Amino acid sequence: MKFLVCMIGGLVLISTEAWPQSFLGKLTVGAPRHQYHFATSSGKALDHLVKLDQIVSKGEPLLRYQEVGSTKEGVRLILAGSQGVVTELNSSTWVVKGELLAKLLTPKLLGIFEPEHGAAVTARALWFCHAGSGFEVRVSYESRGKVFVTLHMNEYVIEVSELFKNEKSATLFTSPAQCHKQRDVSLGAGK
């Protein structure tokens, strides 16, 4: 049995097994945000530096093109404004001013978790299990039975946002190991 030792005017042993391993409640998440990159002038595409479904970091180059027909002819480098998953990428050789060059989906979902029975969530991070993986749920703050959270989903952001279009009952775990246990139990049941 594991214990947590607290020193506040004396020695107190508290069993950590008495702490909840998970929280059941309603999870509502918003739609992921999109990031659009348009050509500011016409030109010839030189390099497509990313691929569809690739996860890119903030400031990572997406495309290089040579401006033509303007007074400021030169090479333009299109950079990701924030981390995202590339969902559309212009593969044309020629770029026209105003044309969509790249579309990225931000892999963060903002949401509200309402634990059943008004349970207090003291953890700063919880874990959501999906597709056999654990995804961190950062707790921003808690107020009157609602916990405001941020889920970082990477390439699963589209699938999970569709899953949670409406309020849905969900279980959030206090450890990512719980997701592995849940996956192992599911795999064992299929045998």
Side-chain angles (χ1 to χ4, degrees), residues 4 61 126 152 178:
L4 175 67
L126 297 169
H152 191 85
Q178 295 295 331

Coordinates of all heavy atoms in Angstrom, one line a residue, residues 4 61 126 152 178:
L4 N 1.1 8.7 1.5 CA 1.6 10.1 1.3 C 1.7 10.6 2.7 O 0.8 10.5 3.6 CB 0.5 10.9 0.5 CG 0.9 12.4 0.4 CD1 2.1 12.6 -0.5 CD2 -0.3 13.1 -0.2
P61 N 8.7 26.2 -41.7 CA 8.4 26.5 -43.1 C 7.5 25.5 -43.7 O 7.6 24.3 -43.5 CB 9.7 26.5 -43.8 CG 10.8 26.3 -42.7 CD 10.1 25.8 -41.5
L126 N -5.0 15.6 -16.1 CA -5.7 14.3 -16.2 C -5.4 13.7 -17.5 O -4.7 14.3 -18.4 CB -7.2 14.6 -16.0 CG -7.6 15.2 -14.7 CD1 -9.1 15.6 -14.7 CD2 -7.4 14.2 -13.5
H152 N -4.7 18.2 -25.8 CA -3.7 18.3 -26.8 C -3.8 17.0 -27.6 O -3.3 16.0 -27.1 CB -2.4 18.6 -26.3 CG -1.4 19.0 -27.3 ND1 -1.2 20.3 -27.8 CD2 -0.5 18.2 -28.0 CE1 -0.3 20.3 -28.7 NE2 0.1 19.1 -28.9
Q178 N -3.4 4.3 -16.8 CA -4.7 3.8 -16.9 C -5.2 3.5 -18.3 O -6.0 2.6 -18.6 CB -5.7 4.7 -16.1 CG -5.4 4.9 -14.7 CD -5.7 3.6 -13.9 OE1 -6.5 2.7 -14.3 NE2 -4.9 3.4 -12.8

